[in-house]
Amino acid sequence: MLNYIIRRLIGAIPVILGVIAVVFILTTIVPGDPARIMVGQRGDPATIEKIRHEMGLDKPLAVQFVDFMKNALTMNLGKSYRNNMTVVQALLIRLPVTVKLAFASMVIAIIVGVPLGIISAVKQYSWFDYGAMFFAILGISAPVFWVALLSVVLFCVVLGWIPGTGTGNGEWIYYVLPSVVLGLRPGALIARLTRSSMLEIIRQDYIRTARAKGLAERVVIMKHALRNALIPVVTIIGIETAGLLSGVVVTEYIFSLPGIGRLSVEALINRDFPVIRGVVLFMAFLFVLANLIVDLSYPFFDPRIKYD
């Protein structure tokens, strides 16, 4: 397994380098001058040129790219144009909020999605199956921003049950509504994938053999069928978790949560190129790490899988 991990990490190097190159190119062609944004439209040309020189924006693009590549490989992502804070510090400050939100959302998605998928597969073509899959399709299809705005209006403005925006002093109540909104789509995906995977597994010969031996249906489903059916489910859980940890822009912005998603929006508005690059690299690293962890978890669910 150690050799497999080393090979995967080596294989991830070209991916990270490619992401670095693409991010640099995209941030250089984005309209807008960070120096002019900092001083405003009335700033004099001398001040703008001085700021551009301090930022290194007056260097040739090739020199900027080489410097950025060297710094990125040493985890020196530069400083924010807005507050002179290092990009790593900015990410670490915003990360706890995103981690709390992502963890709560994924827990809700798993708790709701997996049981719905199992029961729908066991009771295929029943009213429960039709109802569960209808809500799953609705959860996948409904735009996140629409669900978030509707939830704020209903539960915060009209009913006044829970706070609408912000994090307060870190109380869990502030994370309830955004976690439910954010967990809706992954929960729906997990439900549909669990159902389809379970339907495929429970029709296998070894499941029929287990039933023929007189095993209880609960044992057949939970012990023999579910474990093998969870492999594709674990894959989607890993990918969705990485996506949530990388910062969900719409949800954090609507609920005024100071996470990585909101940080990326603020960086885009202010053309804060170091922060934009840092956020994208952080997202790429999370997806590479999530895929590796998911692949390493497969033997736990299916002992036939080996990493020799």
Side-chain angles (χ1 to χ4, degrees):
M1 183 179 291
L2 181 60
N3 292 333
Y4 175 79
I5 295 175
I6 294 174
R7 290 198 305 270
R8 287 292 301 271
L9 293 177
I10 294 175
I13 294 176
V15 177
I16 300 298
L17 293 177
V19 170
I20 293 174
V22 172
V23 169
F24 179 83
I25 295 172
L26 291 178
T27 51
T28 54
I29 64 177
V30 170
D33 187 352
R36 180 169 292 278
I37 292 176
M38 290 180 64
V39 300
Q41 295 299 323
R42 298 184 178 180
D44 60 282
T47 303
I48 294 175
E49 287 301 321
K50 181 181 178 180
I51 295 175
R52 285 178 58 83
H53 177 73
E54 293 175 351
M55 293 178 176
L57 297 176
D58 57 345
K59 297 179 181 179
L61 289 179
V63 177
Q64 294 184 40
F65 177 71
V66 172
D67 293 340
F68 173 63
M69 193 71 96
K70 291 179 181 178
N71 294 331
L73 293 176
T74 58
M75 293 303 295
N76 179 17
L77 301 177
K79 293 185 178 181
S80 171
Y81 293 160
R82 296 181 60 200
N83 50 27
N84 207 32
M85 181 186 297
T86 65
V87 175
V88 176
Q89 288 177 333
L91 289 173
L92 292 178
I93 290 175
R94 301 294 187 102
L95 186 59
V97 174
T98 301
V99 169
K100 292 179 182 178
L101 179 62
F103 177 77
S105 302
M106 190 49 61
V107 168
I108 292 173
I110 294 172
I111 291 177
V112 174
V114 173
L116 280 180
I118 295 173
I119 299 174
S120 296
V122 174
K123 298 183 177 182
Q124 188 182 15
Y125 303 132
S126 65
W127 285 108
F128 182 90
D129 182 27
Y130 289 130
M133 290 304 101
F134 170 77
F135 284 109
I137 295 175
L138 188 64
I140 296 173
S141 305
V144 176
F145 73 89
W146 179 78
V147 176
L149 292 174
L150 191 64
S151 301
V152 170
V153 172
L154 178 60
F155 295 104
C156 304
V157 178
V158 177
L159 299 177
W161 288 353
I162 50 181
T165 58
T167 58
N169 294 322
E171 296 92 343
W172 65 269
I173 191 66
Y174 286 89
Y175 291 91
V176 172
L177 191 57
S179 298
V180 173
V181 171
L182 196 55
L184 181 63
R185 180 180 177 276
L189 286 173
I190 291 172
R192 287 184 59 82
L193 192 59
T194 303
R195 178 184 181 274
S196 61
S197 183
M198 283 290 295
L199 286 175
E200 181 180 355
I201 294 298
I202 61 178
R203 291 170 180 152
Q204 299 293 324
D205 292 337
Y206 72 92
I207 297 296
R208 284 192 286 267
T209 302
R211 285 171 173 158
K213 289 180 179 180
L215 295 178
E217 186 67 13
R218 179 179 59 84
V219 176
V220 173
I221 296 298
M222 301 303 295
K223 184 177 180 180
H224 295 277
L226 179 60
R227 186 171 180 178
N228 291 324
L230 282 179
I231 290 181
V233 178
V234 170
T235 303
I236 196 65
I237 288 175
I239 295 174
E240 290 294 326
T241 302
L244 294 177
L245 284 174
S246 60
V248 182
V249 176
V250 175
T251 305
E252 289 186 357
Y253 201 79
I254 290 177
F255 289 97
S256 298
L257 298 175
I260 293 178
R262 188 174 178 86
L263 176 66
S264 62
V265 174
E266 295 170 353
L268 283 171
I269 294 174
N270 295 280
R271 302 300 187 271
D272 198 345
F273 294 153
V275 175
I276 296 173
R277 295 163 182 167
V279 170
V280 175
L281 288 177
F282 177 71
M283 293 170 60
F285 174 77
L286 282 180
F287 276 99
V288 170
L289 183 62
N291 285 327
L292 177 59
I293 293 175
V294 167
D295 289 346
L296 293 177
S297 68
Y298 286 158
F300 174 78
F301 299 99
D302 190 348
R304 296 171 296 178
I305 298 177
K306 303 294 181 182
Y307 292 115
D308 296 335

